[in-house]
Amino acid sequence: MHTTHDEVDLRLRVVSRKVGPEGIVVLELADRFGAPLPAWSPGAHIDVLMPGDMVRQYSLCGDPAEGSVWRIAVLREPDGRGGSAFLHDRVRAGDQLEIRGPRNNFQLLPAARYVFIAGGIGVTPLLPMARAAHRGGAEWEFHYGGRSRTSMAFLDDLGALRTGSGQPARVTLYAQDEVGLIDLESILASPRPGTLVYCCGPEPLLEAVERCCARWPSGTLHVERFAPKDAGEPVFSGPFKVALATSGMTLEVPLDKSILDVVREAGVAVPSSCQEGTCGTCETPVLEGTVDHRDSLLSPEERAENDTMFICVSRAACPRLVLDL
C-alpha cells in the first residue's frame, strides 16, 4: 500500500450544503480565498476535524477534474459517536471546517474492465471511479443497492453515466423494497479475465462479495470498509519489543496498549486519525519481524509482503519488530 503522507491541513469554507436522500447531507468545500485544492484521485478521502478532538473520514465523491471544490456526503448515524450529527445539525453554508488530506488507500488500478458494487453510502468512493473508467474507455458495470430508491444518493450522477454509445445499460439499481438484495451470485458467477472488482458498503455486503470473489484470481477484489473488521484474538498474546530504527529506541508493547500508544508515550511523533485501522494515516514501514495485521485496509497480498503496518491496531506476531520510526 505504502501510502504517502503528503496530505495537508486546510481550513475550507462550506460553499454548498444540500440535503439529499434520507439521512444524507452533501457538503461542497472550497478554499476561502479561491485557491485550487490539492489534486486527488478516485477512492481518496479526507479527514474532517471537529470539536472535542473528533476526526472522521469521508470519501471525496465529486470530480477530480474540478480542482477548486471537494464534495463529501455524510450519512447521519443515529448510534454514532457524534461526528455525523455535528455535520448535519451544526454546519451550514458559509461555515469553515478544518480538513486534513487527501489520502487514498483505495486506488483505482488500471484494468480493461471493472465491476463496481456499492451498498448505501458506499456509493461515494465508487462514483468517481465509474467516471474515471467511463472517461478512460474501459468496460464497466455499476451495481448499487439501497433500502429504497428514496434512500439512495447520487442517482442523477449515475444516470448521466448509465449508457455509452452503442453500450448496454451499465448501472443497475437494486432497491431492496422493490427487487431485494444485489444479485451477487449472478454478477460474480464466473471469473472474467482482466476484470477488477471494487466494493464499498456495509459489512454483510463486503463479506458476501469476498465469498463470491474467492474463486476469482488473486488481486481481483478491492474493498473499502467504513468500520473495522473483526480481527479476532492477537496472534502473539504476550508483550513484544519494537525497535525504532531511526529514533534508536527499543520499546516494550504490553497487551493492553497499541504500538502507536507506546511510541507516542516515548515522544515519537506519528500521524494518526481513526485509531481503528480504517484510515491509513499511521502506516509505518516494517524493516524486520512478522506482523499480526489487524487493520481493515491491506489486501491478503499486501499483508503477505510484510513490509508495512498500521500501528494503531496491528501488532507483532513475533517477539520483536523493527520499524522505520
Side-chain angles (χ1 to χ4, degrees), residues 21 73 82 99 142 159 183 187:
I99 304 295
F142 200 112
D183 187 3
I187 297 165

Side-chain angles (χ1 to χ4, degrees), residues 35-212:
L37 297 177
W40 61 280
S41 57
H45 68 262
I46 57 173
D47 294 343
V48 180
L49 287 63
M50 291 173 268
D53 294 326
M54 287 191 297
V55 182
R56 299 292 183 268
Q57 291 76 43
Y58 297 100
S59 297
L60 291 171
C61 55
D63 189 339
E66 297 176 2
S68 61
V69 176
W70 285 348
R71 181 170 67 167
I72 60 173
V74 181
L75 173 69
R76 181 186 286 276
E77 299 282 0
D79 301 319
R81 297 170 291 165
S84 66
F86 174 81
L87 293 174
H88 273 253
D89 299 337
R90 303 276 298 278
V91 173
R92 295 292 182 266
D95 291 348
Q96 296 179 13
L97 291 174
E98 300 290 340
I99 304 295
R100 181 183 301 128
R103 183 183 314 120
N104 199 338
N105 306 312
F106 192 42
Q107 299 202 24
L108 184 67
L109 301 177
R113 60 190 61 84
Y114 298 95
V115 177
F116 301 112
I117 302 173
I121 198 64
V123 69
T124 53
L126 300 182
L127 179 56
M129 293 186 179
R131 286 198 191 99
H134 193 73
R135 288 172 178 167
E139 294 181 28
W140 61 275
E141 58 191 77
F142 200 112
H143 302 272
Y144 178 21
R147 295 188 312 277
S148 64
R149 287 179 184 268
T150 58
S151 73
M152 297 165 73
F154 303 120
L155 295 185
D156 289 344
D157 297 73
L158 286 168
L161 299 174
R162 287 184 78 96
T163 59
S165 176
Q167 295 285 338
R170 306 193 200 204
V171 178
T172 306
L173 303 179
Y174 301 81
Q176 191 172 340
D177 60 351
E178 298 174 18
V179 299
L181 299 174
I182 300 174
D183 187 3
L184 298 175
E185 290 294 338
S186 174
I187 297 165
L188 302 171
S190 302
R192 287 176 262 173
T195 301
L196 294 181
V197 179
Y198 281 80
C199 180
C200 186
E203 188 62 27
L205 172 66
L206 300 181
E207 291 178 352
V209 170
E210 286 174 337
R211 287 194 299 271
C212 290

